[in-house]
Amino acid sequence: VNHRGEDISAALDAVLDGRATPEQERVLREASDADESIRAEVEAARRIESSLKRLFDAPTIGVPQDALDDAAVGAEGLSPIPISTVIPVSSMASISRVSAGTARGSRRAWWIAGTSAAAALAGTAYVLLPTGVKPSPVGSPGPVAARPTRTPESLYRMLHKRGFKPAFVCENDEQFDRFLTDRFGGSFLLASSAALEVVGWDYADGMVGEATAVVMTRFEGKEVVLLVDRAEEDRKPPAPCDGNSDGSSSGEKPETPLFMHRAEIGSLVVYEVSPFDQPAVLPKAYIPKR
Amino acid sequence: MKPTSGSVLSREEFARRFAAASKVLWCIAAGQTGDRSLVEDICQQAAIVALERLSDFDPSTSFLAWMAQIVRYTAMNENQKSRRRRTRPRDPSVIDGSRAVSDAPERDMPISRFGHLQAEQNTFDDQLLGGLRTLDPVARSCLLLRVVLDSPYKEISLVLGIPPGTAMSHVDRARKALRVHLLEREARERGSASGRRTSIAAGLTGEAGRSGLERKDEGREGIARAGGGDHS
């Protein structure tokens, strides 16, 4: 009986797979005629095949056009950016957990979204107009000589508490590139990714070097802050820090540890501060081809 | 790894090859996640990743194998994220497992020889999807590639990085596991409906949950498990 069972089972496998010999087809047919349970199983097997084909009718999927467009801009300049090992900023951070979700859309779409957000900051926001970038020259935005009391962690928390609204935004890669070039003499861009949203800019003078700029981004819905400055002025910002230095979260229960990652991109140094224990945005950075 | 041939695939050629391979990639993503609602996003994320790494691809090698690997990794990342979240983003239409079925063209719905829609097809489909989720991702991918696309085992081997014999073994075992899963459920439901435990087929009282072939197949082990093992 066992041997017969194996034969029937093998015959069913072969029939379903389209590799059955005439002998196997005969064995299965006779077994099915003789045994109701086998007939039921054969019927179930055929129904499974039919349902799988219907339920998993794979569509043809194209590459998102905006991804192709963005790749056209950046592909020539892509080069691997060495990133230093993870530096835990603090395990005491008091960041409210940002709801996880997959950010979608192209970088271009996010630029537009960023513009809208910044426009809402009338009176306090410094919005770059499409007609031209107006960067703050090195050293001009205020007193920068003193070592700041703010740390990367407290900066991150402050930005989060303010609703992660940028001081100004760029509307496209060209503005992004020009701002960095004018301010630091070097530049990088961020490759498009469905998970990455470039929100805008802020300042953190003195945090890394004299005129540190802050790129505010979201990766997979979580806020990620990049601190950018000249590599030669890198003071290596302190980590960790006083979690309550700016008084923004006294007494709150710590929820999310922060991590910091460092990369040198051409003449620039960039620190990534985020809840991710692996660099999320830095791997997207590339030096644009001139 | 940089291509050795010195050439790089153009974006246009990438888009063309991606579209041509997309059905296979779709099945791989569906197999890895077991969740149809995530598949298109995963494939598009994988396309973006691939575009960013286009300079790493050697056009003289298999585009399908390269792209399939990226899809697998993207899907695995998505699985990990889903596990961390412990919840999954769901379109309301997906929450109702039968919705996809009702969305399917009517002509594709299974019909009886009398031209009627088979009874409880939606329930059957839901149970089938539940059974699929119990399978190992590799086995599930093998099964979908074979059943849905009728992919040759050589191609399944290429895109999943396993020997052809293992792919065939996965397919056979996965089919068997699904049959057992569905017949077990059917037996349980009949048992609960009638207030007594009955078998899946007449005359098999007390052996509910075991298929007819399985009972005749005592010598073989692990029928209900879609695990590894090569066809010898």
PDB file of all heavy atoms in Angstrom, chain A residues 241-273:
ATOM      1  N   CYS A 241      25.243  64.080  24.913  1.00  0.00           N
ATOM      2  CA  CYS A 241      25.151  65.406  25.474  1.00  0.00           C
ATOM      3  C   CYS A 241      24.104  65.435  26.552  1.00  0.00           C
ATOM      4  O   CYS A 241      23.480  64.443  26.861  1.00  0.00           O
ATOM      5  CB  CYS A 241      24.775  66.377  24.379  1.00  0.00           C
ATOM      6  SG  CYS A 241      23.237  65.856  23.623  1.00  0.00           S
ATOM      7  N   ASP A 242      23.947  66.637  27.061  1.00  0.00           N
ATOM      8  CA  ASP A 242      22.896  66.819  28.047  1.00  0.00           C
ATOM      9  C   ASP A 242      21.544  66.756  27.356  1.00  0.00           C
ATOM     10  O   ASP A 242      21.199  67.627  26.575  1.00  0.00           O
ATOM     11  CB  ASP A 242      23.091  68.182  28.720  1.00  0.00           C
ATOM     12  CG  ASP A 242      21.937  68.509  29.649  1.00  0.00           C
ATOM     13  OD1 ASP A 242      21.120  67.606  29.904  1.00  0.00           O
ATOM     14  OD2 ASP A 242      21.874  69.653  30.097  1.00  0.00           O
ATOM     15  N   GLY A 243      20.801  65.765  27.636  1.00  0.00           N
ATOM     16  CA  GLY A 243      19.517  65.593  26.968  1.00  0.00           C
ATOM     17  C   GLY A 243      18.537  66.701  27.257  1.00  0.00           C
ATOM     18  O   GLY A 243      17.532  66.830  26.586  1.00  0.00           O
ATOM     19  N   ASN A 244      18.804  67.529  28.250  1.00  0.00           N
ATOM     20  CA  ASN A 244      17.854  68.591  28.575  1.00  0.00           C
ATOM     21  C   ASN A 244      18.470  69.963  28.398  1.00  0.00           C
ATOM     22  O   ASN A 244      18.029  70.942  28.970  1.00  0.00           O
ATOM     23  CB  ASN A 244      17.364  68.440  30.022  1.00  0.00           C
ATOM     24  CG  ASN A 244      16.622  67.150  30.216  1.00  0.00           C
ATOM     25  OD1 ASN A 244      15.847  66.749  29.348  1.00  0.00           O
ATOM     26  ND2 ASN A 244      16.873  66.484  31.320  1.00  0.00           N
ATOM     27  N   SER A 245      19.524  70.053  27.619  1.00  0.00           N
ATOM     28  CA  SER A 245      20.258  71.299  27.555  1.00  0.00           C
ATOM     29  C   SER A 245      19.421  72.463  27.051  1.00  0.00           C
ATOM     30  O   SER A 245      19.657  73.593  27.430  1.00  0.00           O
ATOM     31  CB  SER A 245      21.488  71.135  26.656  1.00  0.00           C
ATOM     32  OG  SER A 245      21.067  70.780  25.361  1.00  0.00           O
ATOM     33  N   ASP A 246      18.452  72.180  26.203  1.00  0.00           N
ATOM     34  CA  ASP A 246      17.642  73.289  25.732  1.00  0.00           C
ATOM     35  C   ASP A 246      16.273  73.322  26.399  1.00  0.00           C
ATOM     36  O   ASP A 246      15.389  74.045  26.003  1.00  0.00           O
ATOM     37  CB  ASP A 246      17.462  73.249  24.213  1.00  0.00           C
ATOM     38  CG  ASP A 246      16.791  71.970  23.783  1.00  0.00           C
ATOM     39  OD1 ASP A 246      16.466  71.152  24.653  1.00  0.00           O
ATOM     40  OD2 ASP A 246      16.597  71.797  22.582  1.00  0.00           O
ATOM     41  N   GLY A 247      16.175  72.521  27.416  1.00  0.00           N
ATOM     42  CA  GLY A 247      14.963  72.573  28.196  1.00  0.00           C
ATOM     43  C   GLY A 247      13.717  72.106  27.491  1.00  0.00           C
ATOM     44  O   GLY A 247      12.609  72.367  27.920  1.00  0.00           O
ATOM     45  N   SER A 248      13.904  71.394  26.427  1.00  0.00           N
ATOM     46  CA  SER A 248      12.733  71.062  25.614  1.00  0.00           C
ATOM     47  C   SER A 248      12.014  69.818  26.088  1.00  0.00           C
ATOM     48  O   SER A 248      10.908  69.576  25.674  1.00  0.00           O
ATOM     49  CB  SER A 248      13.150  70.875  24.154  1.00  0.00           C
ATOM     50  OG  SER A 248      14.062  69.821  24.059  1.00  0.00           O
ATOM     51  N   SER A 249      12.649  69.051  26.906  1.00  0.00           N
ATOM     52  CA  SER A 249      11.997  67.788  27.207  1.00  0.00           C
ATOM     53  C   SER A 249      12.215  67.355  28.653  1.00  0.00           C
ATOM     54  O   SER A 249      12.261  66.174  28.935  1.00  0.00           O
ATOM     55  CB  SER A 249      12.523  66.708  26.269  1.00  0.00           C
ATOM     56  OG  SER A 249      13.899  66.557  26.459  1.00  0.00           O
ATOM     57  N   SER A 250      12.366  68.288  29.523  1.00  0.00           N
ATOM     58  CA  SER A 250      12.621  67.930  30.905  1.00  0.00           C
ATOM     59  C   SER A 250      11.543  66.993  31.428  1.00  0.00           C
ATOM     60  O   SER A 250      10.360  67.239  31.258  1.00  0.00           O
ATOM     61  CB  SER A 250      12.644  69.193  31.763  1.00  0.00           C
ATOM     62  OG  SER A 250      13.745  69.972  31.411  1.00  0.00           O
ATOM     63  N   GLY A 251      12.017  65.983  32.061  1.00  0.00           N
ATOM     64  CA  GLY A 251      11.083  65.102  32.725  1.00  0.00           C
ATOM     65  C   GLY A 251      10.395  64.094  31.831  1.00  0.00           C
ATOM     66  O   GLY A 251       9.702  63.215  32.318  1.00  0.00           O
ATOM     67  N   GLU A 252      10.588  64.202  30.515  1.00  0.00           N
ATOM     68  CA  GLU A 252       9.928  63.238  29.639  1.00  0.00           C
ATOM     69  C   GLU A 252      10.674  61.917  29.682  1.00  0.00           C
ATOM     70  O   GLU A 252      11.886  61.876  29.846  1.00  0.00           O
ATOM     71  CB  GLU A 252       9.894  63.757  28.200  1.00  0.00           C
ATOM     72  CG  GLU A 252       8.923  64.907  28.017  1.00  0.00           C
ATOM     73  CD  GLU A 252       8.917  65.383  26.582  1.00  0.00           C
ATOM     74  OE1 GLU A 252       9.383  64.632  25.713  1.00  0.00           O
ATOM     75  OE2 GLU A 252       8.448  66.512  26.354  1.00  0.00           O
ATOM     76  N   LYS A 253       9.934  60.915  29.497  1.00  0.00           N
ATOM     77  CA  LYS A 253      10.554  59.597  29.511  1.00  0.00           C
ATOM     78  C   LYS A 253      11.296  59.368  28.202  1.00  0.00           C
ATOM     79  O   LYS A 253      10.740  59.590  27.134  1.00  0.00           O
ATOM     80  CB  LYS A 253       9.472  58.539  29.678  1.00  0.00           C
ATOM     81  CG  LYS A 253      10.024  57.156  29.866  1.00  0.00           C
ATOM     82  CD  LYS A 253       8.883  56.160  30.010  1.00  0.00           C
ATOM     83  CE  LYS A 253       9.449  54.754  30.135  1.00  0.00           C
ATOM     84  NZ  LYS A 253       8.385  53.761  30.201  1.00  0.00           N
ATOM     85  N   PRO A 254      12.555  58.940  28.271  1.00  0.00           N
ATOM     86  CA  PRO A 254      13.294  58.687  27.031  1.00  0.00           C
ATOM     87  C   PRO A 254      12.604  57.600  26.219  1.00  0.00           C
ATOM     88  O   PRO A 254      12.106  56.631  26.765  1.00  0.00           O
ATOM     89  CB  PRO A 254      14.660  58.202  27.527  1.00  0.00           C
ATOM     90  CG  PRO A 254      14.733  58.578  28.950  1.00  0.00           C
ATOM     91  CD  PRO A 254      13.340  58.656  29.459  1.00  0.00           C
ATOM     92  N   GLU A 255      12.565  57.798  24.915  1.00  0.00           N
ATOM     93  CA  GLU A 255      11.901  56.794  24.075  1.00  0.00           C
ATOM     94  C   GLU A 255      12.827  56.233  23.010  1.00  0.00           C
ATOM     95  O   GLU A 255      12.912  55.032  22.834  1.00  0.00           O
ATOM     96  CB  GLU A 255      10.685  57.411  23.394  1.00  0.00           C
ATOM     97  CG  GLU A 255       9.553  57.691  24.347  1.00  0.00           C
ATOM     98  CD  GLU A 255       8.329  58.167  23.616  1.00  0.00           C
ATOM     99  OE1 GLU A 255       8.227  57.924  22.408  1.00  0.00           O
ATOM    100  OE2 GLU A 255       7.488  58.815  24.258  1.00  0.00           O
ATOM    101  N   THR A 256      13.504  57.100  22.289  1.00  0.00           N
ATOM    102  CA  THR A 256      14.256  56.638  21.130  1.00  0.00           C
ATOM    103  C   THR A 256      15.724  57.028  21.247  1.00  0.00           C
ATOM    104  O   THR A 256      16.026  58.220  21.320  1.00  0.00           O
ATOM    105  CB  THR A 256      13.677  57.265  19.848  1.00  0.00           C
ATOM    106  OG1 THR A 256      12.287  57.037  19.811  1.00  0.00           O
ATOM    107  CG2 THR A 256      14.350  56.690  18.622  1.00  0.00           C
ATOM    108  N   PRO A 257      16.615  56.081  21.251  1.00  0.00           N
ATOM    109  CA  PRO A 257      18.032  56.452  21.234  1.00  0.00           C
ATOM    110  C   PRO A 257      18.403  57.029  19.872  1.00  0.00           C
ATOM    111  O   PRO A 257      17.808  56.667  18.857  1.00  0.00           O
ATOM    112  CB  PRO A 257      18.748  55.123  21.485  1.00  0.00           C
ATOM    113  CG  PRO A 257      17.785  54.095  21.027  1.00  0.00           C
ATOM    114  CD  PRO A 257      16.410  54.643  21.266  1.00  0.00           C
ATOM    115  N   LEU A 258      19.365  57.922  19.885  1.00  0.00           N
ATOM    116  CA  LEU A 258      19.824  58.517  18.632  1.00  0.00           C
ATOM    117  C   LEU A 258      21.223  58.013  18.308  1.00  0.00           C
ATOM    118  O   LEU A 258      21.995  57.665  19.186  1.00  0.00           O
ATOM    119  CB  LEU A 258      19.840  60.042  18.746  1.00  0.00           C
ATOM    120  CG  LEU A 258      18.485  60.726  18.889  1.00  0.00           C
ATOM    121  CD1 LEU A 258      18.682  62.232  19.002  1.00  0.00           C
ATOM    122  CD2 LEU A 258      17.597  60.400  17.703  1.00  0.00           C
ATOM    123  N   PHE A 259      21.528  58.025  17.037  1.00  0.00           N
ATOM    124  CA  PHE A 259      22.844  57.605  16.575  1.00  0.00           C
ATOM    125  C   PHE A 259      23.394  58.657  15.625  1.00  0.00           C
ATOM    126  O   PHE A 259      22.637  59.379  14.984  1.00  0.00           O
ATOM    127  CB  PHE A 259      22.752  56.258  15.847  1.00  0.00           C
ATOM    128  CG  PHE A 259      22.281  55.145  16.728  1.00  0.00           C
ATOM    129  CD1 PHE A 259      20.924  54.873  16.853  1.00  0.00           C
ATOM    130  CD2 PHE A 259      23.180  54.379  17.452  1.00  0.00           C
ATOM    131  CE1 PHE A 259      20.469  53.861  17.677  1.00  0.00           C
ATOM    132  CE2 PHE A 259      22.733  53.351  18.276  1.00  0.00           C
ATOM    133  CZ  PHE A 259      21.381  53.099  18.389  1.00  0.00           C
ATOM    134  N   MET A 260      24.709  58.702  15.589  1.00  0.00           N
ATOM    135  CA  MET A 260      25.342  59.672  14.693  1.00  0.00           C
ATOM    136  C   MET A 260      26.360  58.939  13.816  1.00  0.00           C
ATOM    137  O   MET A 260      27.106  58.087  14.299  1.00  0.00           O
ATOM    138  CB  MET A 260      26.034  60.769  15.513  1.00  0.00           C
ATOM    139  CG  MET A 260      26.562  61.909  14.665  1.00  0.00           C
ATOM    140  SD  MET A 260      26.824  63.406  15.637  1.00  0.00           S
ATOM    141  CE  MET A 260      28.301  62.985  16.534  1.00  0.00           C
ATOM    142  N   HIS A 261      26.380  59.291  12.555  1.00  0.00           N
ATOM    143  CA  HIS A 261      27.301  58.690  11.599  1.00  0.00           C
ATOM    144  C   HIS A 261      28.027  59.816  10.877  1.00  0.00           C
ATOM    145  O   HIS A 261      27.455  60.871  10.624  1.00  0.00           O
ATOM    146  CB  HIS A 261      26.546  57.827  10.584  1.00  0.00           C
ATOM    147  CG  HIS A 261      25.533  56.923  11.204  1.00  0.00           C
ATOM    148  ND1 HIS A 261      25.842  55.685  11.700  1.00  0.00           N
ATOM    149  CD2 HIS A 261      24.210  57.096  11.455  1.00  0.00           C
ATOM    150  CE1 HIS A 261      24.755  55.129  12.211  1.00  0.00           C
ATOM    151  NE2 HIS A 261      23.752  55.975  12.078  1.00  0.00           N
ATOM    152  N   ARG A 262      29.260  59.569  10.556  1.00  0.00           N
ATOM    153  CA  ARG A 262      30.080  60.625   9.953  1.00  0.00           C
ATOM    154  C   ARG A 262      30.576  60.189   8.586  1.00  0.00           C
ATOM    155  O   ARG A 262      30.944  59.022   8.386  1.00  0.00           O
ATOM    156  CB  ARG A 262      31.284  60.918  10.861  1.00  0.00           C
ATOM    157  CG  ARG A 262      32.229  61.986  10.338  1.00  0.00           C
ATOM    158  CD  ARG A 262      33.424  62.117  11.283  1.00  0.00           C
ATOM    159  NE  ARG A 262      34.298  63.204  10.896  1.00  0.00           N
ATOM    160  CZ  ARG A 262      35.240  63.122   9.967  1.00  0.00           C
ATOM    161  NH1 ARG A 262      35.423  61.985   9.306  1.00  0.00           N
ATOM    162  NH2 ARG A 262      36.000  64.160   9.690  1.00  0.00           N
ATOM    163  N   ALA A 263      30.579  61.121   7.653  1.00  0.00           N
ATOM    164  CA  ALA A 263      31.151  60.838   6.337  1.00  0.00           C
ATOM    165  C   ALA A 263      31.835  62.093   5.829  1.00  0.00           C
ATOM    166  O   ALA A 263      31.393  63.214   6.118  1.00  0.00           O
ATOM    167  CB  ALA A 263      30.052  60.422   5.357  1.00  0.00           C
ATOM    168  N   GLU A 264      32.913  61.919   5.122  1.00  0.00           N
ATOM    169  CA  GLU A 264      33.547  63.039   4.425  1.00  0.00           C
ATOM    170  C   GLU A 264      33.163  62.933   2.960  1.00  0.00           C
ATOM    171  O   GLU A 264      33.362  61.892   2.329  1.00  0.00           O
ATOM    172  CB  GLU A 264      35.061  63.017   4.616  1.00  0.00           C
ATOM    173  CG  GLU A 264      35.450  63.337   6.047  1.00  0.00           C
ATOM    174  CD  GLU A 264      36.931  63.663   6.207  1.00  0.00           C
ATOM    175  OE1 GLU A 264      37.593  63.907   5.172  1.00  0.00           O
ATOM    176  OE2 GLU A 264      37.401  63.663   7.356  1.00  0.00           O
ATOM    177  N   ILE A 265      32.604  63.999   2.455  1.00  0.00           N
ATOM    178  CA  ILE A 265      32.149  64.017   1.066  1.00  0.00           C
ATOM    179  C   ILE A 265      32.903  65.139   0.375  1.00  0.00           C
ATOM    180  O   ILE A 265      32.578  66.317   0.543  1.00  0.00           O
ATOM    181  CB  ILE A 265      30.628  64.237   0.985  1.00  0.00           C
ATOM    182  CG1 ILE A 265      29.888  63.203   1.846  1.00  0.00           C
ATOM    183  CG2 ILE A 265      30.156  64.176  -0.458  1.00  0.00           C
ATOM    184  CD1 ILE A 265      28.394  63.442   1.964  1.00  0.00           C
ATOM    185  N   GLY A 266      33.912  64.785  -0.349  1.00  0.00           N
ATOM    186  CA  GLY A 266      34.770  65.809  -0.944  1.00  0.00           C
ATOM    187  C   GLY A 266      35.399  66.649   0.152  1.00  0.00           C
ATOM    188  O   GLY A 266      36.018  66.112   1.078  1.00  0.00           O
ATOM    189  N   SER A 267      35.205  67.941   0.064  1.00  0.00           N
ATOM    190  CA  SER A 267      35.801  68.838   1.061  1.00  0.00           C
ATOM    191  C   SER A 267      34.876  69.051   2.257  1.00  0.00           C
ATOM    192  O   SER A 267      35.196  69.839   3.148  1.00  0.00           O
ATOM    193  CB  SER A 267      36.108  70.195   0.410  1.00  0.00           C
ATOM    194  OG  SER A 267      34.897  70.780  -0.053  1.00  0.00           O
ATOM    195  N   LEU A 268      33.760  68.367   2.264  1.00  0.00           N
ATOM    196  CA  LEU A 268      32.777  68.567   3.337  1.00  0.00           C
ATOM    197  C   LEU A 268      32.782  67.406   4.319  1.00  0.00           C
ATOM    198  O   LEU A 268      33.139  66.275   3.969  1.00  0.00           O
ATOM    199  CB  LEU A 268      31.370  68.714   2.748  1.00  0.00           C
ATOM    200  CG  LEU A 268      31.163  69.819   1.711  1.00  0.00           C
ATOM    201  CD1 LEU A 268      29.721  69.823   1.227  1.00  0.00           C
ATOM    202  CD2 LEU A 268      31.547  71.179   2.287  1.00  0.00           C
ATOM    203  N   VAL A 269      32.384  67.717   5.523  1.00  0.00           N
ATOM    204  CA  VAL A 269      32.117  66.655   6.489  1.00  0.00           C
ATOM    205  C   VAL A 269      30.628  66.703   6.804  1.00  0.00           C
ATOM    206  O   VAL A 269      30.040  67.787   6.913  1.00  0.00           O
ATOM    207  CB  VAL A 269      32.965  66.827   7.773  1.00  0.00           C
ATOM    208  CG1 VAL A 269      32.627  68.117   8.513  1.00  0.00           C
ATOM    209  CG2 VAL A 269      32.767  65.635   8.700  1.00  0.00           C
ATOM    210  N   VAL A 270      30.033  65.534   6.877  1.00  0.00           N
ATOM    211  CA  VAL A 270      28.598  65.462   7.127  1.00  0.00           C
ATOM    212  C   VAL A 270      28.341  64.471   8.256  1.00  0.00           C
ATOM    213  O   VAL A 270      28.835  63.340   8.230  1.00  0.00           O
ATOM    214  CB  VAL A 270      27.821  65.001   5.862  1.00  0.00           C
ATOM    215  CG1 VAL A 270      26.317  65.015   6.128  1.00  0.00           C
ATOM    216  CG2 VAL A 270      28.148  65.885   4.676  1.00  0.00           C
ATOM    217  N   TYR A 271      27.605  64.927   9.252  1.00  0.00           N
ATOM    218  CA  TYR A 271      27.173  64.051  10.336  1.00  0.00           C
ATOM    219  C   TYR A 271      25.686  63.784  10.168  1.00  0.00           C
ATOM    220  O   TYR A 271      24.904  64.710   9.967  1.00  0.00           O
ATOM    221  CB  TYR A 271      27.412  64.701  11.697  1.00  0.00           C
ATOM    222  CG  TYR A 271      28.867  64.748  12.103  1.00  0.00           C
ATOM    223  CD1 TYR A 271      29.678  65.826  11.739  1.00  0.00           C
ATOM    224  CD2 TYR A 271      29.434  63.718  12.844  1.00  0.00           C
ATOM    225  CE1 TYR A 271      31.013  65.871  12.092  1.00  0.00           C
ATOM    226  CE2 TYR A 271      30.772  63.756  13.210  1.00  0.00           C
ATOM    227  CZ  TYR A 271      31.551  64.835  12.830  1.00  0.00           C
ATOM    228  OH  TYR A 271      32.879  64.864  13.184  1.00  0.00           O
ATOM    229  N   GLU A 272      25.337  62.538  10.274  1.00  0.00           N
ATOM    230  CA  GLU A 272      23.919  62.167  10.211  1.00  0.00           C
ATOM    231  C   GLU A 272      23.442  61.821  11.617  1.00  0.00           C
ATOM    232  O   GLU A 272      24.029  60.970  12.283  1.00  0.00           O
ATOM    233  CB  GLU A 272      23.722  60.960   9.286  1.00  0.00           C
ATOM    234  CG  GLU A 272      22.284  60.450   9.266  1.00  0.00           C
ATOM    235  CD  GLU A 272      22.098  59.220   8.385  1.00  0.00           C
ATOM    236  OE1 GLU A 272      22.621  59.194   7.252  1.00  0.00           O
ATOM    237  OE2 GLU A 272      21.443  58.265   8.850  1.00  0.00           O
ATOM    238  N   VAL A 273      22.407  62.475  12.070  1.00  0.00           N
ATOM    239  CA  VAL A 273      21.837  62.214  13.397  1.00  0.00           C
ATOM    240  C   VAL A 273      20.427  61.672  13.196  1.00  0.00           C
ATOM    241  O   VAL A 273      19.592  62.312  12.543  1.00  0.00           O
ATOM    242  CB  VAL A 273      21.787  63.505  14.240  1.00  0.00           C
ATOM    243  CG1 VAL A 273      21.281  63.193  15.656  1.00  0.00           C
ATOM    244  CG2 VAL A 273      23.155  64.160  14.297  1.00  0.00           C
TER     245      VAL A 273
END
